Amino acid sequence: MKRLLALLAACVTALGLTGLLGPQAVAGPRAVAAAGCRVDYTVTSQWQGGFQAGVKITNLGAPVSGWTLTFALPDASQKIVQGWNATWSQSGSAVTATALDWNRTLATGAAADLGFTGSFTGANPKPTAFALNGVACTGSVEEPPPTTPGDGTPVGVNGRLHVCGVHLCNQYDRPVQLRGMSTHGIQWFSKCYNTASLDALAKDWKSDLLRIAMYVQEDGYETDPAGFTGRVNGLVDMAEARGMYAVIDFHTLTPGDPNYNLDRAKTFFASLAARNAGKKNVIYEIANEPNGVSWTAVKSYAEQVIPVIRAADPDAVIIVGTRGWSSLGVSDGSNESEVVNNPVNATNIMYAFHFYAASHKDAYRAAVSRAASQLPLFVSEFGTVSATGGGTLDRASTTAWLDLLDQLKISYANWTYSDAPESSAAFRPGTCDGGDYSSSGVLTESGTLLKSRISTPDSFPTN
């Protein structure tokens, strides 16, 4: 919520911006930028004593490899509370934002999205003296118009979602199906999630959603809770700005018992829910793939985490993982009846089902067909290949799965919108080092198939 100063600072640093931002910046559309760069500055929210801001910096000059943004807060009582997409520091009124490894290079015409929350007492005057790599910035640009309801985007049409019966429903109480892509682990593939890639996902792929896979272990959240929380929030904002839904995935995998991360989950979701409660595009996925654990244990975890979210965000949809790597227990020799007969004691929730087309076929499709008449299901992750993420694309099984999900109006996110060296990835290796995320030359066989399915027109009912 308080990201105005941090986000502005990060973006300005990335391109070396110098200018004025403050109360007028909060209320008005102008931000000052260098002649060799453009700044699109957006205040996403402001409240008593705090604010949040986003800054998109577009490099209009020579390529930049490594950047530092500096600026001065006119009042030392102003503080950068939390920033993302840069390393932030503050000494007195002087603020510095330094590029991360994945966004340190800005080619001519390339852009960086930064963000932060800030606090202040009394007035909230503009920051001054923005500089990129020590060079003062000049010039100004207008703030782009915000996304508004009815703008034709998935969020603009459907608004805040909710569960009605066994379906995901929109603001008109009509069942809808969302189709989109999942990130890979953001600790490994952050460079794949930038202005260009999310523009492509929203505009070229016509995706309805972005699932944000935040691993808890494996060099993820547990190593830097504040940093990963900020990164997730930044991606939520980027999805929101493009009219896409954001599925926040607490990506528990090893160990498989989600109760191992119960305290971390409560901390994470308390922060996320408090910060994003006013947004229409947020869906919470509280446990990715429980495994080696009973449904009773998974249910217990869910019934402790859900109230934490509900305390701040009583209306958002929550996805609960299921036993056997979110297979409704099928991968453990069970079936959907254990959930049907012992559901989570909460409302406005859905149950996760994951599959990999080359490994999970008729028996799994039969379970989904049976369960869909009794449980609200969300396929928050699936692959076109084997359960390892590798192997040959199984076109026939993938097509059978997607046809079934379309028929049942079950929403889905494909693994993965990344250039990971595995056949489940949508992009060829090295794609995320460039700016093309849509042409046939950068797509894998899996990416080509998914883009063709996702980019077909949505049929969201509005009456």
Side-chain angles (χ1 to χ4, degrees):
M1 298 177 177
K2 306 175 182 179
R3 301 178 179 179
L4 175 56
L5 291 178
L7 185 51
L8 174 57
C11 292
V12 175
T13 301
L15 292 183
L17 312 179
T18 299
L20 302 177
L21 297 170
Q24 292 175 309
V26 170
R30 292 176 64 84
V32 178
C37 60
R38 164 179 170 150
V39 174
D40 295 309
Y41 171 70
T42 305
V43 177
T44 56
S45 61
Q46 185 174 0
W47 56 95
Q48 183 64 40
F51 60 93
Q52 173 183 312
V55 179
K56 174 184 176 182
I57 303 176
T58 304
N59 183 15
L60 304 179
V64 174
S65 179
W67 52 260
T68 297
L69 173 70
T70 57
F71 64 93
L73 296 171
D75 184 342
S77 69
Q78 291 179 319
K79 303 294 182 183
I80 304 299
V81 176
Q82 185 179 79
W84 51 94
N85 295 0
T87 298
W88 294 86
S89 62
Q90 180 176 351
S91 178
S93 61
V95 176
T96 300
T98 304
L100 302 175
D101 287 344
W102 60 269
N103 66 357
R104 68 185 310 273
T105 300
L106 287 174
T108 301
D113 280 291
L114 308 177
F116 65 91
T117 58
S119 65
F120 63 92
T121 58
N124 185 22
K126 297 178 180 180
T128 60
F130 285 98
L132 175 65
N133 291 347
V135 178
C137 300
T138 59
S140 64
V141 297
E142 294 300 310
E143 180 182 341
T147 299
T148 56
D151 61 4
T153 66
V155 176
V157 173
N158 294 300
R160 183 181 285 273
L161 303 172
H162 63 283
V163 178
C164 54
V166 296
H167 295 292
L168 182 65
C169 293
N170 64 11
Q171 63 182 328
Y172 305 102
D173 293 321
R174 298 291 301 279
V176 295
Q177 179 197 35
L178 304 181
R179 301 172 298 169
M181 299 295 291
S182 174
T183 72
H184 206 302
I186 57 176
Q187 77 274 38
W188 299 314
F189 294 95
S190 279
K191 67 179 181 178
C192 292
Y193 313 114
N194 52 53
T195 299
S197 67
L198 292 194
D199 281 348
L201 185 62
K203 297 174 183 177
D204 300 333
W205 289 63
K206 296 180 173 56
S207 180
D208 304 322
L209 67 89
L210 172 71
R211 179 188 189 233
I212 304 164
M214 188 203 70
Y215 280 72
V216 184
Q217 277 70 51
E218 301 182 63
D219 299 322
Y221 175 81
E222 68 177 2
T223 68
D224 182 10
F228 279 97
T229 298
R231 177 63 172 147
V232 169
N233 282 330
L235 289 170
V236 168
D237 290 350
M238 292 172 74
E240 180 186 38
R242 292 158 178 83
M244 292 188 293
Y245 290 93
V247 177
I248 300 174
D249 164 32
F250 196 68
H251 202 86
T252 53
L253 185 61
T254 303
D257 184 351
N259 291 287
Y260 178 84
N261 287 306
L262 179 60
D263 289 341
R264 295 185 183 95
K266 288 181 176 180
T267 299
F268 176 72
F269 284 112
S271 174
L272 266 289
R275 188 262 187 186
N276 296 303
K279 296 182 182 294
K280 297 179 180 179
N281 74 317
V282 173
I283 298 170
Y284 302 97
E285 182 177 2
I286 61 174
N288 167 58
E289 290 186 348
N291 59 88
V293 66
S294 68
W295 168 244
T296 300
V298 178
K299 178 175 180 287
S300 173
Y301 165 86
E303 290 177 350
Q304 295 177 76
V305 174
I306 290 172
V308 172
I309 298 174
R310 291 285 181 245
D313 192 346
D315 299 320
V317 173
I318 297 173
I319 302 171
V320 178
T322 57
R323 184 159 73 100
W325 294 273
S326 284
S327 68
L328 291 171
V330 178
S331 290
D332 281 350
S334 185
N335 57 51
E336 72 284 356
S337 63
E338 66 182 21
V339 180
V340 172
N341 295 331
N342 188 22
V344 171
N345 183 23
T347 59
N348 210 29
I349 66 169
M350 307 189 82
Y351 296 93
F353 187 86
H354 293 181
F355 69 85
Y356 280 78
S359 300
H360 308 131
K361 299 189 177 183
D362 291 344
Y364 289 80
R365 284 191 283 269
V368 167
S369 295
R370 294 190 305 266
S373 65
Q374 303 177 79
L375 298 171
L377 300 180
F378 197 118
V379 175
S380 53
E381 179 182 319
F382 80 93
T384 61
V385 293
S386 74
T388 65
T392 303
L393 178 144
D394 191 325
R395 184 175 297 272
S397 182
T398 298
T399 300
W401 268 114
L402 295 181
D403 287 349
L404 177 64
L405 299 183
D406 290 350
Q407 173 192 336
L408 298 173
K409 279 192 175 294
I410 295 176
S411 300
Y412 62 76
N414 174 252
W415 184 270
T416 61
Y417 195 69
S418 78
D419 64 355
E422 54 191 33
S423 52
S424 61
F427 304 121
R428 298 180 187 278
T431 296
C432 295
D433 294 325
D436 178 5
Y437 296 89
S438 296
S439 71
S440 60
V442 303
L443 298 179
T444 62
E445 188 178 6
S446 181
T448 299
L449 173 59
L450 263 296
K451 182 172 180 285
S452 70
R453 295 287 301 222
I454 290 173
S455 61
T456 56
D458 290 308
S459 56
F460 297 133
T462 57
N463 53 49

